[in-house]
């Protein structure tokens, strides 16, 4: 054995020995650290403190941003399912996409759902950057409800898409006589079945003019909380009296440019991104 070591020593260049020594040191240190992690003494365990103040559970929007920053090269996918309030091509949804793209320095492209063809239209760029791309499927369907999204789910979320975050934006097209959370339940159940790794976020929509939308959305946030679904409260960012609400709507439901800005700011706040 000694002669063999001498032969290796005689034939190996000096840099090789340096590498071997460094590797040996790293290996020993790694084994020590590993053993301390897997089998700490009671004294050591008592002295251990958390390395981060981040809570174990956090809103899905913030988890998305942190994960996207931590794994910058990996692609990400966002899906928005909802009604006309998120369908405008110059509305809050693409503006949110652009702001997220700029914050994460990731290229982002979106497609808008077409209710005439029951399919997506052409791809539209929302931003650029050196990191991994984000695909933003905007399945907002004017005049349609959650059942429509459920019926077209296989096309709204294509087979080659693996969503990380799914946002639900329903309310105005739903039955006002039935609790909103109850109406979303079949869609939520199917999404969790097909995309167990995706986080769900529900948007509490802005008020409608001439209607008591507070009754329709009553209990919605608490019901979603009970389901473990984050709620973005756009409703509370708007006034509820018709006179103040009128300039923020282009009709009785859909936001005007000023209303779109309130939507954008409120949704981006949930991502901790500035408008």
């Amino acid at each position: 054995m000694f002669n063999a070591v001498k032969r290796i020593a005689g034939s190996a260049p000096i840099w090789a020995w340096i590498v071997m020594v460094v590797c040996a040191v790293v290996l020993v240190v790694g084994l020590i650290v590993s053993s301390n992690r897997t089998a700490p003494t009671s004294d050591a365990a008592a002295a251990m403190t958390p390395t981060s103040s981040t809570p174990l559970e956090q809103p899905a929007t913030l988890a998305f941003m942190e994960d996207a920053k931590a794994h910058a090269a990996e692609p990400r996918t966002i899906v928005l399912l909802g009604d006309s309030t998120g369908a405008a091509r110059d509305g809050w949804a693409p503006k949110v996409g652009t702001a997220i793209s700029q914050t994460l320095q990731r290229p982002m492209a979106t497609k808008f759902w077409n209710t005439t063809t029951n399919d997506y239209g052409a791809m539209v760029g929302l931003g650029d950057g050196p990191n991994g791309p984000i695909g933003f499927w905007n399945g907002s369907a004017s005049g349609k409800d959650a059942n429509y999204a459920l019926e077209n789910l296989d096309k709204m979320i294509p087979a080659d898409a693996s969503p990380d975050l799914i946002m639900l934006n329903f309310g105005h097209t739903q039955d006002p006589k039935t609790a909103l959370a109850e109406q979303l339940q079949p869609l939520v159940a199917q999404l969790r079945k097909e995309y167990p790794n995706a986080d769900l976020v529900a948007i509490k929509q802005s008020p409608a003019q001439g209607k008591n939308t507070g009754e329709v959305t009553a209990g919605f946030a608490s019901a979603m909380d009970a389901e473990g679904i984050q709620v973005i409260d756009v409703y509370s960012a708007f006034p509820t009296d018709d006179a103040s609400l009128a300039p923020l709507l282009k009709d009785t439901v859909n936001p005007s440019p000023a209303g779109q800005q309130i939507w954008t700011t409120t949704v981006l706040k949930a991502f901790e991104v500035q408008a």
Side-chain angles (χ1 to χ4, degrees):
M1 175 67 72
F2 181 73
N3 290 333
V5 171
K6 285 204 304 182
R7 284 200 302 273
I8 295 173
S11 61
I14 294 177
W15 63 264
W17 280 105
I18 295 173
V19 171
M20 290 172 65
V21 171
V22 171
C23 289
V25 171
V26 171
L27 179 60
V28 171
V29 172
L31 289 173
I32 293 173
V33 172
S34 177
S35 63
N36 286 341
R37 282 173 135 180
T38 55
T41 64
S42 57
D43 291 340
M48 291 174 65
T49 57
T51 57
S52 173
S53 59
T54 303
L56 295 177
E57 295 183 5
Q58 61 183 163
T61 48
L62 298 186
F64 175 87
M65 296 298 290
E66 290 193 6
D67 187 66
K69 291 175 182 176
H71 305 91
E74 298 177 5
R76 290 289 180 267
T77 300
I78 299 174
V79 174
L80 172 62
L81 303 176
D83 57 28
S84 61
T85 56
R89 291 175 175 260
D90 59 349
W92 67 266
K95 289 178 181 177
V96 164
T98 297
I100 291 175
S101 169
Q102 293 173 347
T103 299
L104 296 176
Q105 297 185 41
R106 286 173 173 259
M108 182 184 287
T110 190
K111 286 188 175 185
F112 295 89
W113 185 260
N114 187 320
T115 55
T116 301
T117 62
N118 272 15
D119 205 347
Y120 284 104
M123 186 177 296
V124 179
L126 296 181
D128 205 354
N131 297 317
I134 298 177
F136 186 178
W137 299 90
N138 189 341
S140 299
S142 298
K144 305 298 183 180
D145 60 9
N147 286 334
Y148 174 84
L150 182 59
E151 293 167 1
N152 292 274
L153 196 58
D154 59 337
K155 296 180 72 175
M156 287 186 165
I157 305 180
D160 58 349
S162 180
D164 300 285
L165 187 69
I166 302 175
M167 296 191 290
L168 306 177
N169 179 39
F170 294 100
H172 293 306
T173 55
Q174 302 298 139
D175 181 2
K177 298 179 181 179
T178 306
L180 179 56
E182 180 182 337
Q183 296 181 69
L184 297 190
Q185 191 55 48
L187 177 59
V188 168
Q190 190 63 27
L191 288 170
R192 282 181 162 161
K193 178 182 177 181
E194 293 192 31
Y195 311 103
N197 295 324
D199 286 326
L200 302 182
V201 173
I203 295 175
K204 186 177 179 181
Q205 296 182 330
S206 60
Q209 195 173 20
K211 296 180 181 179
N212 188 357
T213 42
E215 291 182 358
V216 179
T217 57
F220 178 65
S222 58
M224 291 292 99
D225 286 342
E227 290 270 354
I229 298 175
Q230 177 188 354
V231 175
I232 299 177
D233 187 4
V234 174
Y235 183 91
S236 297
F238 280 74
T240 55
D241 64 285
D242 284 349
S244 301
L245 186 60
L248 304 177
L249 301 177
K250 68 177 184 179
D251 47 35
T252 60
V253 171
N254 293 288
S256 66
Q260 294 282 7
Q261 187 57 50
I262 294 176
W263 273 79
T264 303
T265 301
T266 306
V267 175
L268 283 177
K269 186 177 180 180
F271 287 88
E272 291 192 353
V273 173
Q274 292 187 344

